[in-house]
Amino acid sequence: QVQLVESGGGLVQAGGSLKLSCAASRRTVSLYAMAWFRQAPGKEREFVTALTWANGRTYYADSVKGRFTISRVYANDTVFLQMNSLKPEDTAVYYCAFASRGSKKWAADGMDFWGRGTLVTVSS
């Protein structure tokens, strides 16, 4: 299996930036992709962005395209989420996720392991 640890959450003003990180350690399974999801109070966990490990291809939810960027350090099984032009509606707990194999869509049920989450609060 694998352990995931997120960091970098905090409080930021609207229009500001924040960078999250997620490190996978003690991995004993294949890494197909790492992704970020978020969940606001009273809402479902939603897909934000993902990166397939073999080729580094990235995928983004429409709501964050042009503002968020996912990147990686391949050798360290580490992924980052650079968030720019933050909006109050971006406020959520952000979860790092790990997939050992592909699936049809980027969805929570396609992820095999999860971090505990890090809170991002964007004030207006």
Side-chain angles (χ1 to χ4, degrees):
Q1 56 176 268
V2 63
Q3 294 178 332
L4 302 175
V5 179
E6 307 104 325
S7 63
L11 175 65
V12 64
Q13 290 183 310
S17 298
L18 207 60
K19 188 174 184 178
L20 310 182
S21 64
C22 175
S25 63
R26 299 183 179 182
R27 179 166 65 87
T28 61
V29 295
S30 297
L31 173 53
Y32 173 76
M34 293 182 71
W36 291 95
F37 289 73
R38 67 187 182 186
Q39 188 166 23
K43 300 185 70 176
E44 292 186 339
R45 190 168 299 188
E46 67 172 343
F47 170 74
V48 177
T49 182
L51 189 156
T52 53
W53 222 249
N55 57 15
R57 188 168 182 177
T58 58
Y59 304 82
Y60 295 92
D62 288 341
S63 60
V64 305
K65 283 182 180 177
R67 299 190 298 121
F68 291 11
T69 303
I70 188 170
S71 61
R72 66 173 173 176
V73 177
Y74 181 91
N76 294 335
D77 287 355
T78 300
V79 69
F80 303 93
L81 179 61
Q82 177 66 51
M83 303 183 291
N84 298 325
S85 301
L86 282 161
K87 305 173 181 179
E89 50 262 46
D90 295 318
T91 295
V93 176
Y94 283 71
Y95 295 92
C96 179
F98 177 110
S100 61
R101 57 193 175 275
S103 59
K104 266 193 174 180
K105 287 198 168 187
W106 297 111
D109 60 8
M111 303 294 112
D112 299 303
F113 303 98
W114 295 88
R116 292 183 178 182
T118 186
L119 177 63
V120 173
T121 302
V122 184
S123 62
S124 60

